[in-house]
Amino acid sequence: MDFGARLKAARRQKGISQTQAADALRTDQRQISKYESGKQEPTATRLRELCELYEISADWLLGLEKREKSPL
């Protein structure tokens, strides 16, 4: 699952529309659509706001996995 699909899944899990998400983030619905479709990536500040709104971690949203610690 890519970033946009994770973002869309998180929004749907919260039960809110793109318009409601946009209102909460003081932007417009088209911006949320661009994030979810992969046409645009959010800034670091917007990423934090999305995670707070959807109550998810940035690691999950970005698809990061834990890696073993380096032996150094």
Side-chain angles (χ1 to χ4, degrees), residues 14-61:
K14 290 296 286 184
I16 62 176
S17 68
Q18 286 183 345
T19 301
Q20 291 169 317
D23 289 346
L25 297 173
R26 297 167 312 283
T27 189
D28 61 34
Q29 177 272 329
R30 291 175 299 206
Q31 190 65 50
I32 301 300
S33 178
K34 287 178 185 178
Y35 296 151
E36 291 183 3
S37 67
K39 292 180 180 177
Q40 188 172 10
E41 293 182 1
T43 64
T45 299
R46 181 64 74 193
L47 178 65
R48 180 182 48 80
E49 293 170 344
L50 287 162
C51 290
E52 289 174 354
L53 177 62
Y54 298 148
E55 298 178 340
I56 55 174
S57 73
D59 284 349
W60 178 82
L61 186 56

